Amino acid sequence: MLLNWFETAPRRVLALISAACVAMLAFGMYLQYGVGLEPCPMCIVQRYALIGVALFTGLGSLRGGRGWGLGWGVLALLAAGFGAFVAARQSWLQWNPPEIATCGRDFYGMVENYPLSRAIPMIFRGSGDCTAIDWTFLGGSIANWSFIAFVLMALALLALFVRQRTAR
């Protein structure tokens, strides 16, 4: 029954994914400004991936054309995959912290002061900030829950594509 929804209402599925992303972004803003947690460079990259998924799925839900939603859905799938990769890397760093934890520069400091060819490896190397677990829910850190959310979004998008292909 749930899989039939992917076939009969693909625009609603895309809109639901977009709304979930907006809710997650709002929760992230609450954690930052309400609770006082400072995001690490990898958290910022995950936010941008979440914004990408929200934007692409939102645009895909606006039009009724099959190609329109599929194109934006593919971009959303790529953004979700990238977000899952970054969240998995951060989770791995949290479980296996480096021997020497250095508190590196913040995300914007890296991008402003270094060329991208040097800043991007610095972001994914992770700093002491990226290995810290400041908030948990049911035993999982923010990075763990972000990974699960990105994987669920990617699976929903893949199910949407598969059901749309078999409906033809």
mmCIF file with all atom_site columns, all heavy atoms in Angstrom, residues 112-137:
data_model
loop_
_atom_site.group_PDB
_atom_site.id
_atom_site.type_symbol
_atom_site.label_atom_id
_atom_site.label_alt_id
_atom_site.label_comp_id
_atom_site.label_asym_id
_atom_site.label_entity_id
_atom_site.label_seq_id
_atom_site.pdbx_PDB_ins_code
_atom_site.Cartn_x
_atom_site.Cartn_y
_atom_site.Cartn_z
_atom_site.occupancy
_atom_site.B_iso_or_equiv
_atom_site.pdbx_formal_charge
_atom_site.auth_seq_id
_atom_site.auth_comp_id
_atom_site.auth_asym_id
_atom_site.auth_atom_id
_atom_site.pdbx_PDB_model_num
ATOM 1   N N   . GLU A 1 112 ? 37.288 30.683 3.062  1.00 0.00 ? 112 GLU A N   1
ATOM 2   C CA  . GLU A 1 112 ? 37.749 32.030 2.747  1.00 0.00 ? 112 GLU A CA  1
ATOM 3   C C   . GLU A 1 112 ? 39.270 32.125 2.649  1.00 0.00 ? 112 GLU A C   1
ATOM 4   O O   . GLU A 1 112 ? 39.795 32.897 1.850  1.00 0.00 ? 112 GLU A O   1
ATOM 5   C CB  . GLU A 1 112 ? 37.261 33.018 3.805  1.00 0.00 ? 112 GLU A CB  1
ATOM 6   C CG  . GLU A 1 112 ? 35.783 33.308 3.716  1.00 0.00 ? 112 GLU A CG  1
ATOM 7   C CD  . GLU A 1 112 ? 35.314 34.224 4.829  1.00 0.00 ? 112 GLU A CD  1
ATOM 8   O OE1 . GLU A 1 112 ? 36.120 34.582 5.716  1.00 0.00 ? 112 GLU A OE1 1
ATOM 9   O OE2 . GLU A 1 112 ? 34.112 34.563 4.821  1.00 0.00 ? 112 GLU A OE2 1
ATOM 10  N N   . ASN A 1 113 ? 39.999 31.356 3.447  1.00 0.00 ? 113 ASN A N   1
ATOM 11  C CA  . ASN A 1 113 ? 41.446 31.518 3.522  1.00 0.00 ? 113 ASN A CA  1
ATOM 12  C C   . ASN A 1 113 ? 42.253 30.518 2.704  1.00 0.00 ? 113 ASN A C   1
ATOM 13  O O   . ASN A 1 113 ? 43.465 30.689 2.574  1.00 0.00 ? 113 ASN A O   1
ATOM 14  C CB  . ASN A 1 113 ? 41.896 31.444 4.987  1.00 0.00 ? 113 ASN A CB  1
ATOM 15  C CG  . ASN A 1 113 ? 41.372 32.619 5.785  1.00 0.00 ? 113 ASN A CG  1
ATOM 16  O OD1 . ASN A 1 113 ? 41.344 33.735 5.295  1.00 0.00 ? 113 ASN A OD1 1
ATOM 17  N ND2 . ASN A 1 113 ? 40.930 32.369 6.998  1.00 0.00 ? 113 ASN A ND2 1
ATOM 18  N N   . TYR A 1 114 ? 41.623 29.488 2.203  1.00 0.00 ? 114 TYR A N   1
ATOM 19  C CA  . TYR A 1 114 ? 42.350 28.480 1.443  1.00 0.00 ? 114 TYR A CA  1
ATOM 20  C C   . TYR A 1 114 ? 41.654 28.240 0.112  1.00 0.00 ? 114 TYR A C   1
ATOM 21  O O   . TYR A 1 114 ? 40.434 28.387 0.010  1.00 0.00 ? 114 TYR A O   1
ATOM 22  C CB  . TYR A 1 114 ? 42.398 27.149 2.222  1.00 0.00 ? 114 TYR A CB  1
ATOM 23  C CG  . TYR A 1 114 ? 43.159 27.234 3.518  1.00 0.00 ? 114 TYR A CG  1
ATOM 24  C CD1 . TYR A 1 114 ? 42.489 27.282 4.733  1.00 0.00 ? 114 TYR A CD1 1
ATOM 25  C CD2 . TYR A 1 114 ? 44.551 27.268 3.532  1.00 0.00 ? 114 TYR A CD2 1
ATOM 26  C CE1 . TYR A 1 114 ? 43.180 27.357 5.924  1.00 0.00 ? 114 TYR A CE1 1
ATOM 27  C CE2 . TYR A 1 114 ? 45.250 27.348 4.719  1.00 0.00 ? 114 TYR A CE2 1
ATOM 28  C CZ  . TYR A 1 114 ? 44.559 27.393 5.918  1.00 0.00 ? 114 TYR A CZ  1
ATOM 29  O OH  . TYR A 1 114 ? 45.238 27.476 7.094  1.00 0.00 ? 114 TYR A OH  1
ATOM 30  N N   . PRO A 1 115 ? 42.404 27.839 -0.901 1.00 0.00 ? 115 PRO A N   1
ATOM 31  C CA  . PRO A 1 115 ? 41.738 27.450 -2.147 1.00 0.00 ? 115 PRO A CA  1
ATOM 32  C C   . PRO A 1 115 ? 40.926 26.177 -1.905 1.00 0.00 ? 115 PRO A C   1
ATOM 33  O O   . PRO A 1 115 ? 41.211 25.405 -0.989 1.00 0.00 ? 115 PRO A O   1
ATOM 34  C CB  . PRO A 1 115 ? 42.890 27.210 -3.117 1.00 0.00 ? 115 PRO A CB  1
ATOM 35  C CG  . PRO A 1 115 ? 44.096 27.020 -2.276 1.00 0.00 ? 115 PRO A CG  1
ATOM 36  C CD  . PRO A 1 115 ? 43.855 27.746 -0.982 1.00 0.00 ? 115 PRO A CD  1
ATOM 37  N N   . LEU A 1 116 ? 39.898 25.969 -2.732 1.00 0.00 ? 116 LEU A N   1
ATOM 38  C CA  . LEU A 1 116 ? 39.023 24.811 -2.535 1.00 0.00 ? 116 LEU A CA  1
ATOM 39  C C   . LEU A 1 116 ? 39.787 23.496 -2.567 1.00 0.00 ? 116 LEU A C   1
ATOM 40  O O   . LEU A 1 116 ? 39.439 22.562 -1.858 1.00 0.00 ? 116 LEU A O   1
ATOM 41  C CB  . LEU A 1 116 ? 37.919 24.792 -3.591 1.00 0.00 ? 116 LEU A CB  1
ATOM 42  C CG  . LEU A 1 116 ? 36.741 25.705 -3.323 1.00 0.00 ? 116 LEU A CG  1
ATOM 43  C CD1 . LEU A 1 116 ? 35.719 25.589 -4.439 1.00 0.00 ? 116 LEU A CD1 1
ATOM 44  C CD2 . LEU A 1 116 ? 36.101 25.409 -1.994 1.00 0.00 ? 116 LEU A CD2 1
ATOM 45  N N   . SER A 1 117 ? 40.840 23.433 -3.382 1.00 0.00 ? 117 SER A N   1
ATOM 46  C CA  . SER A 1 117 ? 41.619 22.191 -3.457 1.00 0.00 ? 117 SER A CA  1
ATOM 47  C C   . SER A 1 117 ? 42.269 21.853 -2.121 1.00 0.00 ? 117 SER A C   1
ATOM 48  O O   . SER A 1 117 ? 42.579 20.699 -1.855 1.00 0.00 ? 117 SER A O   1
ATOM 49  C CB  . SER A 1 117 ? 42.675 22.297 -4.551 1.00 0.00 ? 117 SER A CB  1
ATOM 50  O OG  . SER A 1 117 ? 43.586 23.344 -4.255 1.00 0.00 ? 117 SER A OG  1
ATOM 51  N N   . ARG A 1 118 ? 42.458 22.839 -1.277 1.00 0.00 ? 118 ARG A N   1
ATOM 52  C CA  . ARG A 1 118 ? 43.047 22.597 0.044  1.00 0.00 ? 118 ARG A CA  1
ATOM 53  C C   . ARG A 1 118 ? 41.980 22.580 1.142  1.00 0.00 ? 118 ARG A C   1
ATOM 54  O O   . ARG A 1 118 ? 42.107 21.843 2.123  1.00 0.00 ? 118 ARG A O   1
ATOM 55  C CB  . ARG A 1 118 ? 44.077 23.682 0.336  1.00 0.00 ? 118 ARG A CB  1
ATOM 56  C CG  . ARG A 1 118 ? 44.917 23.372 1.532  1.00 0.00 ? 118 ARG A CG  1
ATOM 57  C CD  . ARG A 1 118 ? 46.182 24.166 1.568  1.00 0.00 ? 118 ARG A CD  1
ATOM 58  N NE  . ARG A 1 118 ? 46.768 24.038 2.884  1.00 0.00 ? 118 ARG A NE  1
ATOM 59  C CZ  . ARG A 1 118 ? 47.430 24.978 3.484  1.00 0.00 ? 118 ARG A CZ  1
ATOM 60  N NH1 . ARG A 1 118 ? 47.647 26.118 2.890  1.00 0.00 ? 118 ARG A NH1 1
ATOM 61  N NH2 . ARG A 1 118 ? 47.918 24.780 4.691  1.00 0.00 ? 118 ARG A NH2 1
ATOM 62  N N   . ALA A 1 119 ? 40.914 23.380 0.966  1.00 0.00 ? 119 ALA A N   1
ATOM 63  C CA  . ALA A 1 119 ? 39.882 23.485 2.002  1.00 0.00 ? 119 ALA A CA  1
ATOM 64  C C   . ALA A 1 119 ? 39.032 22.221 2.082  1.00 0.00 ? 119 ALA A C   1
ATOM 65  O O   . ALA A 1 119 ? 38.678 21.782 3.181  1.00 0.00 ? 119 ALA A O   1
ATOM 66  C CB  . ALA A 1 119 ? 38.991 24.696 1.742  1.00 0.00 ? 119 ALA A CB  1
ATOM 67  N N   . ILE A 1 120 ? 38.691 21.632 0.936  1.00 0.00 ? 120 ILE A N   1
ATOM 68  C CA  . ILE A 1 120 ? 37.823 20.453 0.948  1.00 0.00 ? 120 ILE A CA  1
ATOM 69  C C   . ILE A 1 120 ? 38.466 19.284 1.698  1.00 0.00 ? 120 ILE A C   1
ATOM 70  O O   . ILE A 1 120 ? 37.812 18.676 2.548  1.00 0.00 ? 120 ILE A O   1
ATOM 71  C CB  . ILE A 1 120 ? 37.389 20.085 -0.484 1.00 0.00 ? 120 ILE A CB  1
ATOM 72  C CG1 . ILE A 1 120 ? 36.425 21.154 -0.982 1.00 0.00 ? 120 ILE A CG1 1
ATOM 73  C CG2 . ILE A 1 120 ? 36.750 18.711 -0.536 1.00 0.00 ? 120 ILE A CG2 1
ATOM 74  C CD1 . ILE A 1 120 ? 35.991 21.017 -2.404 1.00 0.00 ? 120 ILE A CD1 1
ATOM 75  N N   . PRO A 1 121 ? 39.741 18.942 1.450  1.00 0.00 ? 121 PRO A N   1
ATOM 76  C CA  . PRO A 1 121 ? 40.334 17.873 2.274  1.00 0.00 ? 121 PRO A CA  1
ATOM 77  C C   . PRO A 1 121 ? 40.376 18.218 3.762  1.00 0.00 ? 121 PRO A C   1
ATOM 78  O O   . PRO A 1 121 ? 40.217 17.342 4.606  1.00 0.00 ? 121 PRO A O   1
ATOM 79  C CB  . PRO A 1 121 ? 41.742 17.718 1.709  1.00 0.00 ? 121 PRO A CB  1
ATOM 80  C CG  . PRO A 1 121 ? 41.663 18.232 0.324  1.00 0.00 ? 121 PRO A CG  1
ATOM 81  C CD  . PRO A 1 121 ? 40.634 19.322 0.362  1.00 0.00 ? 121 PRO A CD  1
ATOM 82  N N   . MET A 1 122 ? 40.546 19.494 4.104  1.00 0.00 ? 122 MET A N   1
ATOM 83  C CA  . MET A 1 122 ? 40.564 19.896 5.510  1.00 0.00 ? 122 MET A CA  1
ATOM 84  C C   . MET A 1 122 ? 39.199 19.662 6.152  1.00 0.00 ? 122 MET A C   1
ATOM 85  O O   . MET A 1 122 ? 39.110 19.230 7.302  1.00 0.00 ? 122 MET A O   1
ATOM 86  C CB  . MET A 1 122 ? 40.940 21.380 5.635  1.00 0.00 ? 122 MET A CB  1
ATOM 87  C CG  . MET A 1 122 ? 42.391 21.670 5.330  1.00 0.00 ? 122 MET A CG  1
ATOM 88  S SD  . MET A 1 122 ? 42.749 23.431 5.225  1.00 0.00 ? 122 MET A SD  1
ATOM 89  C CE  . MET A 1 122 ? 42.396 23.969 6.874  1.00 0.00 ? 122 MET A CE  1
ATOM 90  N N   . ILE A 1 123 ? 38.123 19.917 5.388  1.00 0.00 ? 123 ILE A N   1
ATOM 91  C CA  . ILE A 1 123 ? 36.776 19.732 5.923  1.00 0.00 ? 123 ILE A CA  1
ATOM 92  C C   . ILE A 1 123 ? 36.542 18.258 6.222  1.00 0.00 ? 123 ILE A C   1
ATOM 93  O O   . ILE A 1 123 ? 36.047 17.888 7.283  1.00 0.00 ? 123 ILE A O   1
ATOM 94  C CB  . ILE A 1 123 ? 35.727 20.263 4.923  1.00 0.00 ? 123 ILE A CB  1
ATOM 95  C CG1 . ILE A 1 123 ? 35.801 21.789 4.840  1.00 0.00 ? 123 ILE A CG1 1
ATOM 96  C CG2 . ILE A 1 123 ? 34.325 19.820 5.317  1.00 0.00 ? 123 ILE A CG2 1
ATOM 97  C CD1 . ILE A 1 123 ? 35.025 22.388 3.698  1.00 0.00 ? 123 ILE A CD1 1
ATOM 98  N N   . PHE A 1 124 ? 36.913 17.369 5.273  1.00 0.00 ? 124 PHE A N   1
ATOM 99  C CA  . PHE A 1 124 ? 36.631 15.946 5.446  1.00 0.00 ? 124 PHE A CA  1
ATOM 100 C C   . PHE A 1 124 ? 37.613 15.254 6.378  1.00 0.00 ? 124 PHE A C   1
ATOM 101 O O   . PHE A 1 124 ? 37.344 14.151 6.826  1.00 0.00 ? 124 PHE A O   1
ATOM 102 C CB  . PHE A 1 124 ? 36.592 15.241 4.090  1.00 0.00 ? 124 PHE A CB  1
ATOM 103 C CG  . PHE A 1 124 ? 35.372 15.606 3.312  1.00 0.00 ? 124 PHE A CG  1
ATOM 104 C CD1 . PHE A 1 124 ? 35.454 16.428 2.217  1.00 0.00 ? 124 PHE A CD1 1
ATOM 105 C CD2 . PHE A 1 124 ? 34.145 15.159 3.718  1.00 0.00 ? 124 PHE A CD2 1
ATOM 106 C CE1 . PHE A 1 124 ? 34.329 16.783 1.512  1.00 0.00 ? 124 PHE A CE1 1
ATOM 107 C CE2 . PHE A 1 124 ? 33.004 15.499 3.034  1.00 0.00 ? 124 PHE A CE2 1
ATOM 108 C CZ  . PHE A 1 124 ? 33.098 16.317 1.919  1.00 0.00 ? 124 PHE A CZ  1
ATOM 109 N N   . ARG A 1 125 ? 38.729 15.880 6.651  1.00 0.00 ? 125 ARG A N   1
ATOM 110 C CA  . ARG A 1 125 ? 39.648 15.311 7.624  1.00 0.00 ? 125 ARG A CA  1
ATOM 111 C C   . ARG A 1 125 ? 39.014 15.366 9.008  1.00 0.00 ? 125 ARG A C   1
ATOM 112 O O   . ARG A 1 125 ? 39.235 14.506 9.834  1.00 0.00 ? 125 ARG A O   1
ATOM 113 C CB  . ARG A 1 125 ? 40.965 16.091 7.603  1.00 0.00 ? 125 ARG A CB  1
ATOM 114 C CG  . ARG A 1 125 ? 42.067 15.422 8.364  1.00 0.00 ? 125 ARG A CG  1
ATOM 115 C CD  . ARG A 1 125 ? 43.408 16.106 8.191  1.00 0.00 ? 125 ARG A CD  1
ATOM 116 N NE  . ARG A 1 125 ? 43.728 16.398 6.807  1.00 0.00 ? 125 ARG A NE  1
ATOM 117 C CZ  . ARG A 1 125 ? 43.993 17.617 6.347  1.00 0.00 ? 125 ARG A CZ  1
ATOM 118 N NH1 . ARG A 1 125 ? 43.971 18.652 7.155  1.00 0.00 ? 125 ARG A NH1 1
ATOM 119 N NH2 . ARG A 1 125 ? 44.283 17.806 5.079  1.00 0.00 ? 125 ARG A NH2 1
ATOM 120 N N   . GLY A 1 126 ? 38.202 16.384 9.213  1.00 0.00 ? 126 GLY A N   1
ATOM 121 C CA  . GLY A 1 126 ? 37.532 16.521 10.503 1.00 0.00 ? 126 GLY A CA  1
ATOM 122 C C   . GLY A 1 126 ? 38.454 17.174 11.516 1.00 0.00 ? 126 GLY A C   1
ATOM 123 O O   . GLY A 1 126 ? 39.656 16.996 11.491 1.00 0.00 ? 126 GLY A O   1
ATOM 124 N N   . SER A 1 127 ? 37.877 17.935 12.370 1.00 0.00 ? 127 SER A N   1
ATOM 125 C CA  . SER A 1 127 ? 38.671 18.583 13.418 1.00 0.00 ? 127 SER A CA  1
ATOM 126 C C   . SER A 1 127 ? 38.254 18.001 14.757 1.00 0.00 ? 127 SER A C   1
ATOM 127 O O   . SER A 1 127 ? 37.424 17.104 14.829 1.00 0.00 ? 127 SER A O   1
ATOM 128 C CB  . SER A 1 127 ? 38.409 20.097 13.374 1.00 0.00 ? 127 SER A CB  1
ATOM 129 O OG  . SER A 1 127 ? 37.060 20.357 13.679 1.00 0.00 ? 127 SER A OG  1
ATOM 130 N N   . GLY A 1 128 ? 38.813 18.532 15.804 1.00 0.00 ? 128 GLY A N   1
ATOM 131 C CA  . GLY A 1 128 ? 38.407 18.108 17.135 1.00 0.00 ? 128 GLY A CA  1
ATOM 132 C C   . GLY A 1 128 ? 36.927 18.367 17.361 1.00 0.00 ? 128 GLY A C   1
ATOM 133 O O   . GLY A 1 128 ? 36.249 17.627 18.061 1.00 0.00 ? 128 GLY A O   1
ATOM 134 N N   . ASP A 1 129 ? 36.427 19.415 16.722 1.00 0.00 ? 129 ASP A N   1
ATOM 135 C CA  . ASP A 1 129 ? 35.009 19.733 16.842 1.00 0.00 ? 129 ASP A CA  1
ATOM 136 C C   . ASP A 1 129 ? 34.141 18.644 16.219 1.00 0.00 ? 129 ASP A C   1
ATOM 137 O O   . ASP A 1 129 ? 33.059 18.353 16.709 1.00 0.00 ? 129 ASP A O   1
ATOM 138 C CB  . ASP A 1 129 ? 34.700 21.060 16.152 1.00 0.00 ? 129 ASP A CB  1
ATOM 139 C CG  . ASP A 1 129 ? 35.454 22.222 16.758 1.00 0.00 ? 129 ASP A CG  1
ATOM 140 O OD1 . ASP A 1 129 ? 35.749 22.170 17.968 1.00 0.00 ? 129 ASP A OD1 1
ATOM 141 O OD2 . ASP A 1 129 ? 35.746 23.169 16.031 1.00 0.00 ? 129 ASP A OD2 1
ATOM 142 N N   . CYS A 1 130 ? 34.593 18.057 15.115 1.00 0.00 ? 130 CYS A N   1
ATOM 143 C CA  . CYS A 1 130 ? 33.787 17.064 14.401 1.00 0.00 ? 130 CYS A CA  1
ATOM 144 C C   . CYS A 1 130 ? 33.707 15.737 15.150 1.00 0.00 ? 130 CYS A C   1
ATOM 145 O O   . CYS A 1 130 ? 32.789 14.960 14.925 1.00 0.00 ? 130 CYS A O   1
ATOM 146 C CB  . CYS A 1 130 ? 34.345 16.826 13.001 1.00 0.00 ? 130 CYS A CB  1
ATOM 147 S SG  . CYS A 1 130 ? 34.145 18.257 11.923 1.00 0.00 ? 130 CYS A SG  1
ATOM 148 N N   . THR A 1 131 ? 34.651 15.480 16.031 1.00 0.00 ? 131 THR A N   1
ATOM 149 C CA  . THR A 1 131 ? 34.633 14.224 16.770 1.00 0.00 ? 131 THR A CA  1
ATOM 150 C C   . THR A 1 131 ? 33.843 14.332 18.073 1.00 0.00 ? 131 THR A C   1
ATOM 151 O O   . THR A 1 131 ? 33.513 13.317 18.671 1.00 0.00 ? 131 THR A O   1
ATOM 152 C CB  . THR A 1 131 ? 36.057 13.750 17.099 1.00 0.00 ? 131 THR A CB  1
ATOM 153 O OG1 . THR A 1 131 ? 36.703 14.738 17.903 1.00 0.00 ? 131 THR A OG1 1
ATOM 154 C CG2 . THR A 1 131 ? 36.852 13.503 15.831 1.00 0.00 ? 131 THR A CG2 1
ATOM 155 N N   . ALA A 1 132 ? 33.539 15.543 18.495 1.00 0.00 ? 132 ALA A N   1
ATOM 156 C CA  . ALA A 1 132 ? 32.806 15.746 19.750 1.00 0.00 ? 132 ALA A CA  1
ATOM 157 C C   . ALA A 1 132 ? 31.337 15.376 19.568 1.00 0.00 ? 132 ALA A C   1
ATOM 158 O O   . ALA A 1 132 ? 30.725 15.662 18.541 1.00 0.00 ? 132 ALA A O   1
ATOM 159 C CB  . ALA A 1 132 ? 32.922 17.199 20.193 1.00 0.00 ? 132 ALA A CB  1
ATOM 160 N N   . ILE A 1 133 ? 30.787 14.728 20.583 1.00 0.00 ? 133 ILE A N   1
ATOM 161 C CA  . ILE A 1 133 ? 29.367 14.384 20.587 1.00 0.00 ? 133 ILE A CA  1
ATOM 162 C C   . ILE A 1 133 ? 28.721 15.240 21.672 1.00 0.00 ? 133 ILE A C   1
ATOM 163 O O   . ILE A 1 133 ? 28.845 14.965 22.865 1.00 0.00 ? 133 ILE A O   1
ATOM 164 C CB  . ILE A 1 133 ? 29.152 12.884 20.850 1.00 0.00 ? 133 ILE A CB  1
ATOM 165 C CG1 . ILE A 1 133 ? 29.821 12.061 19.758 1.00 0.00 ? 133 ILE A CG1 1
ATOM 166 C CG2 . ILE A 1 133 ? 27.666 12.575 20.942 1.00 0.00 ? 133 ILE A CG2 1
ATOM 167 C CD1 . ILE A 1 133 ? 29.800 10.569 20.003 1.00 0.00 ? 133 ILE A CD1 1
ATOM 168 N N   . ASP A 1 134 ? 28.050 16.309 21.245 1.00 0.00 ? 134 ASP A N   1
ATOM 169 C CA  . ASP A 1 134 ? 27.464 17.256 22.184 1.00 0.00 ? 134 ASP A CA  1
ATOM 170 C C   . ASP A 1 134 ? 26.001 16.971 22.482 1.00 0.00 ? 134 ASP A C   1
ATOM 171 O O   . ASP A 1 134 ? 25.455 17.482 23.456 1.00 0.00 ? 134 ASP A O   1
ATOM 172 C CB  . ASP A 1 134 ? 27.571 18.683 21.623 1.00 0.00 ? 134 ASP A CB  1
ATOM 173 C CG  . ASP A 1 134 ? 29.014 19.112 21.449 1.00 0.00 ? 134 ASP A CG  1
ATOM 174 O OD1 . ASP A 1 134 ? 29.851 18.680 22.257 1.00 0.00 ? 134 ASP A OD1 1
ATOM 175 O OD2 . ASP A 1 134 ? 29.304 19.867 20.512 1.00 0.00 ? 134 ASP A OD2 1
ATOM 176 N N   . TRP A 1 135 ? 25.350 16.184 21.635 1.00 0.00 ? 135 TRP A N   1
ATOM 177 C CA  . TRP A 1 135 ? 23.916 15.935 21.786 1.00 0.00 ? 135 TRP A CA  1
ATOM 178 C C   . TRP A 1 135 ? 23.622 14.524 21.309 1.00 0.00 ? 135 TRP A C   1
ATOM 179 O O   . TRP A 1 135 ? 24.149 14.088 20.291 1.00 0.00 ? 135 TRP A O   1
ATOM 180 C CB  . TRP A 1 135 ? 23.149 16.945 20.933 1.00 0.00 ? 135 TRP A CB  1
ATOM 181 C CG  . TRP A 1 135 ? 21.664 16.843 20.990 1.00 0.00 ? 135 TRP A CG  1
ATOM 182 C CD1 . TRP A 1 135 ? 20.842 17.451 21.896 1.00 0.00 ? 135 TRP A CD1 1
ATOM 183 C CD2 . TRP A 1 135 ? 20.810 16.108 20.109 1.00 0.00 ? 135 TRP A CD2 1
ATOM 184 N NE1 . TRP A 1 135 ? 19.532 17.130 21.626 1.00 0.00 ? 135 TRP A NE1 1
ATOM 185 C CE2 . TRP A 1 135 ? 19.486 16.301 20.520 1.00 0.00 ? 135 TRP A CE2 1
ATOM 186 C CE3 . TRP A 1 135 ? 21.049 15.291 19.014 1.00 0.00 ? 135 TRP A CE3 1
ATOM 187 C CZ2 . TRP A 1 135 ? 18.410 15.728 19.890 1.00 0.00 ? 135 TRP A CZ2 1
ATOM 188 C CZ3 . TRP A 1 135 ? 19.971 14.710 18.378 1.00 0.00 ? 135 TRP A CZ3 1
ATOM 189 C CH2 . TRP A 1 135 ? 18.666 14.936 18.813 1.00 0.00 ? 135 TRP A CH2 1
ATOM 190 N N   . THR A 1 136 ? 22.808 13.799 22.056 1.00 0.00 ? 136 THR A N   1
ATOM 191 C CA  . THR A 1 136 ? 22.418 12.454 21.637 1.00 0.00 ? 136 THR A CA  1
ATOM 192 C C   . THR A 1 136 ? 20.921 12.286 21.817 1.00 0.00 ? 136 THR A C   1
ATOM 193 O O   . THR A 1 136 ? 20.297 12.950 22.651 1.00 0.00 ? 136 THR A O   1
ATOM 194 C CB  . THR A 1 136 ? 23.134 11.353 22.445 1.00 0.00 ? 136 THR A CB  1
ATOM 195 O OG1 . THR A 1 136 ? 22.812 11.501 23.822 1.00 0.00 ? 136 THR A OG1 1
ATOM 196 C CG2 . THR A 1 136 ? 24.632 11.395 22.242 1.00 0.00 ? 136 THR A CG2 1
ATOM 197 N N   . PHE A 1 137 ? 20.373 11.382 21.026 1.00 0.00 ? 137 PHE A N   1
ATOM 198 C CA  . PHE A 1 137 ? 18.971 10.998 21.146 1.00 0.00 ? 137 PHE A CA  1
ATOM 199 C C   . PHE A 1 137 ? 18.898 9.500  20.903 1.00 0.00 ? 137 PHE A C   1
ATOM 200 O O   . PHE A 1 137 ? 19.353 9.021  19.855 1.00 0.00 ? 137 PHE A O   1
ATOM 201 C CB  . PHE A 1 137 ? 18.111 11.755 20.125 1.00 0.00 ? 137 PHE A CB  1
ATOM 202 C CG  . PHE A 1 137 ? 16.662 11.377 20.154 1.00 0.00 ? 137 PHE A CG  1
ATOM 203 C CD1 . PHE A 1 137 ? 15.860 11.743 21.228 1.00 0.00 ? 137 PHE A CD1 1
ATOM 204 C CD2 . PHE A 1 137 ? 16.106 10.649 19.126 1.00 0.00 ? 137 PHE A CD2 1
ATOM 205 C CE1 . PHE A 1 137 ? 14.528 11.399 21.260 1.00 0.00 ? 137 PHE A CE1 1
ATOM 206 C CE2 . PHE A 1 137 ? 14.769 10.292 19.146 1.00 0.00 ? 137 PHE A CE2 1
ATOM 207 C CZ  . PHE A 1 137 ? 13.972 10.667 20.215 1.00 0.00 ? 137 PHE A CZ  1
#
